[in-house]
Amino acid sequence: MGDVIVVQFVTLDGVVSDPDGRGGTGYGGWAFRFGPGPVTDDKFRLGELMRTGVQLYGRKTWEAFARLWPGRDSDYAKLMNAVPKRVATRGAIDAAAWANSEAVDGDPVAWARRERERRDIVVIGSLSVVHALAAAGLVDEYRLITFPVVTGEGDRLFADGMPADFRFTLAEPVGAAVLTVLRRNL
């Protein structure tokens, strides 16, 4: 059985929206204020999951990444382009825009429940998908790169009214940020 693993860039106050500034918010771009170090390569320590798991995206995040990753040629970009990708969407996607991409057929929560029986699922960004999976009790682990920024506004990783208990399994500096791995207490 696999795990559902959420990877996110996050601020000290739990904001995950607009880390690169493309959202046009007044607080956006916070992840890039510290240079490329914390946001390049495999800072989330996904390692073998990039070869054996599947990535799950919401449509907006997938579309942004489909414009970004296919044109890159680093070793990590080659892994990102090769990994199987599934997109939670109510509409169609242009699967040719990013190699190994397919739309999820039906309910993404039901899909994740079935898929984790065979392999790990890594959810990148895609806050609405993360909230739906967390509400269904399917998120096993959060891998967070936390930046020393407080935005004071924006979409938060943990939805209001959704209590949860975690245990720290890793905390490690990543340049100006910190990688924290949290496992759900069962």
Side-chain angles (χ1 to χ4, degrees), residues 54-130:
V54 59
Q55 292 181 352
L56 176 62
Y57 293 91
R59 182 189 49 79
K60 289 180 186 176
T61 302
W62 180 86
E63 286 175 348
F65 279 30
R67 288 188 297 271
L68 183 77
W69 286 103
R72 293 184 174 179
D73 195 34
S74 69
D75 288 342
Y76 186 69
K78 289 175 186 172
L79 287 171
M80 285 291 287
N81 291 325
V83 69
K85 293 166 275 296
R86 300 299 177 264
V87 184
T89 181
R90 290 184 184 93
I93 61 164
D94 176 9
W98 196 12
N100 303 310
S101 294
E102 292 178 20
V104 169
D105 187 27
D107 175 31
V109 172
W111 175 88
R113 193 172 276 118
R114 289 186 310 269
E115 190 66 22
R116 76 193 291 221
E117 293 298 321
R118 354 186 273 120
R119 59 184 168 176
D120 294 307
I121 301 168
V122 176
V123 185
I124 299 175
S126 309
L127 189 59
S128 62
V129 173
V130 170

Side-chain angles (χ1 to χ4, degrees), residues 4 9-10 12 15 29 33 37 42-44 50 66 70-71 85 91 99 106 108 119-120 136 143 145 147 162 166 184:
V4 175
F9 294 139
V10 63
L12 288 175
V15 171
R33 292 181 193 162
D42 188 12
K43 295 299 191 266
F44 290 105
M50 296 290 282
K85 293 166 275 296
R119 59 184 168 176
D120 294 307
R143 295 187 186 192
I145 304 259
F147 290 81
M162 291 292 306
F166 302 97
R184 184 169 55 118

Side-chain angles (χ1 to χ4, degrees), residues 29-38 147-149 174-177:
W30 46 266
F32 292 88
R33 292 181 193 162
F34 303 94
F147 290 81
V149 173
V174 180

